Amino acid sequence: MTKPARNGIAAPSRRDVLKIFAAGMTSAVGTIALDRAPRMNLARAADGTLRIAWLTPAQLDPRSVSGMSEIAILNALYDYLFETDASSNLIPVLASSWERHDDGARYTLQLVENARFHDGSLLTARDVVWSIQWQLDAGGTIADVLAGIESLEATGDHSVVFKLNAPDADFLYRLTEYKIVMLKAGAENTGIKFNGTGPFIMDEMIPGDRLVMKANANYWRGAPGFETLEFLFFDDQQAAIAAVQGGIADGILRLDNFSFLNFSGDFRFNTHDIQSNGHHMTRIRADRPPGNDIRVRQAFKLATDRRAVWERVQLGYGAVGKDSPIGPSFAQYFLNDAEPPPRDPAAAAALLAEAGYPDGLDMTLHVPNSGSMSDFAQAMAAQWQDAGIRVEIELEEENEYWVRKWLEVDLGVTWWGDRASPQIYLDLAYRSDATWNESHWQNERLDELIDFARSALDQKARTAAFKEIQRMFIDEGPIIVPYFIDSFMVMASHVSGVELHPFSGRTHFHTAVLR
């Protein structure tokens, strides 16, 4: 993206200017470690250890994980039936092939026959049936995602049949959800003991410090080419970034946009970014004052300039949003012919007065302490203040926030990771009875549209439903989605072979090459 300039020469874009500026900046830690880091990184390659910086995980039971570091740990120790690639294409993993029967409500999966758990036993259809039923019995978000399953049955050692209560064109994509790892039937002490079929085997876990995993020499897709994968834990993102700059860690996947730009042009590192369906949003509870008044929700919308927030926080990466989880990456379904109202703080203040708040609102905005969340919250708060919406920002430790607070607070910031289908976002968070309905918005028409889109096999009708849903979010929804994000990764120059996934916790490290 460039601006026209005189003499036919294009002037640099805002992102290019920032990139040039950032490339010339080095933190104090990075300056001190400039000579030391290359030597440390070479030592990493020599000892066969790859170290990645993450925020400290809060829990590791697959039924409960939500933080990106937690998901990354599961991704290293376990396998899934299916994954998606960077373009949201379905990739079979433990499922070697599949068939959707004519009615769209029955699927047969064939499993690979050479996948072994870390204890040496072969994965069978019984393990798959047990793993999914275990998740269903636990309730929660996976019960929402897989609510359409009427029954599942092992019809052979390596064959599973799913019967659904209605057609579902996205059913196989649901099986890619990050909690649905395949466990050995009867597994106990999950989150403490780890017996997966994944490329790494748990070796040592030091709470609050690190997790050490050894390469699975018998991994059915091919053993990793290095000996040890360590996840180093930090309670603060800037400390994690400093660890990478200082050569203590070899890479990081969760960082804010400016810090990402700060690594550009540094010969010690390679930077990677990829478009994603992930997004940042603010939401207000719609089941109690003040957010249960549509005029208040509309006032928040009128007080927001989405493009300005995108430019300030994302620095040109990603795409502008329209207050819905359905973004331009879902090209077939994205609503191009409607826009949220332009920013008008005076009109927002007038709506607040009509709703009974002539002096404006005072609220606390709860914000997880990762990535660019703090910058995002500050940008939103600054805009809202012009309309008389005064917020105090309260930073929350990310993984603890997802465990204890995010579904309860009146006003909060949420980052949503990449999903392969709009339907999954809607089923997880926007149907009235969804476990992750953080805004507590209940709307019968919205529920009808969500249910229709789930079972519709006719793509034209399904697209129309998704577009009506987006109009509802624009007009009356309790969320503001100013933009969709890119996913970032920084790796030391001696590391190659790691392909960044749009949902960063699903990035595979067993393909890494250390040299």
Side-chain angles (χ1 to χ4, degrees), residues 441-455:
W441 188 29
Q442 297 191 341
N443 185 296
E444 288 186 12
R445 178 56 181 163
L446 180 62
D447 290 347
E448 290 172 1
L449 289 166
I450 291 172
D451 292 344
F452 175 82
R454 184 188 310 110
S455 60

Side-chain angles (χ1 to χ4, degrees), residues 321-490:
K322 296 184 180 183
D323 292 0
S324 130
I326 303 175
S329 291
F330 296 122
Q332 179 178 358
Y333 305 126
F334 183 60
L335 184 65
N336 283 304
D337 57 354
E339 296 288 342
R343 184 171 187 259
D344 189 338
L351 275 177
L352 289 177
E354 284 182 24
Y357 304 98
D359 298 322
L361 281 173
D362 291 282
M363 300 187 73
T364 299
L365 179 62
H366 297 265
V367 185
N369 66 338
S370 64
S372 55
M373 292 292 88
S374 177
D375 293 340
F376 172 60
Q378 291 174 31
M380 298 293 278
Q383 291 195 355
W384 293 343
Q385 186 161 352
D386 293 341
I389 301 171
R390 299 169 293 272
V391 298
E392 179 182 349
I393 295 173
E394 184 167 325
L395 287 177
E396 310 277 0
E397 194 284 314
E398 181 184 62
N399 289 325
E400 287 293 329
Y401 182 55
W402 304 133
V403 173
R404 304 180 189 282
K405 280 191 175 182
W406 75 295
L407 297 175
E408 300 302 324
V409 298
D410 284 318
L411 187 66
V413 165
T414 307
W415 63 261
W416 275 90
D418 185 85
R419 295 301 196 277
S421 164
Q423 190 68 43
I424 296 176
Y425 290 116
L426 298 172
D427 286 339
L428 279 173
Y430 299 106
R431 205 183 185 287
S432 293
D433 58 357
T435 302
W436 280 354
N437 183 2
E438 56 181 309
S439 65
H440 301 261
W441 188 29
Q442 297 191 341
N443 185 296
E444 288 186 12
R445 178 56 181 163
L446 180 62
D447 290 347
E448 290 172 1
L449 289 166
I450 291 172
D451 292 344
F452 175 82
R454 184 188 310 110
S455 60
L457 299 180
D458 180 273
Q459 283 301 316
K460 185 175 181 181
R462 194 171 195 230
T463 298
F466 281 142
K467 289 190 174 181
E468 185 177 343
I469 287 170
Q470 290 171 80
R471 290 187 181 93
M472 291 184 67
F473 275 110
I474 289 174
D475 293 341
E476 56 185 296
I479 70 172
I480 298 174
V481 181
Y483 54 74
F484 290 81
I485 63 176
D486 280 1
S487 187
F488 296 139
M489 179 173 72
V490 174

Side-chain angles (χ1 to χ4, degrees), residues 5 40 61 119 166 233 303 329 368 371 427 439:
M40 293 184 71
D61 188 312
D119 66 4
F233 301 137
S329 291
D427 286 339
S439 65

Side-chain angles (χ1 to χ4, degrees), residues 66 112 149 174 229 280 301 321 336 429 443 452 470 482 508:
S66 57
V112 299
I149 294 178
R174 295 178 186 279
L229 175 63
H280 297 159
K301 292 176 180 292
N336 283 304
N443 185 296
F452 175 82
Q470 290 171 80
H508 287 301

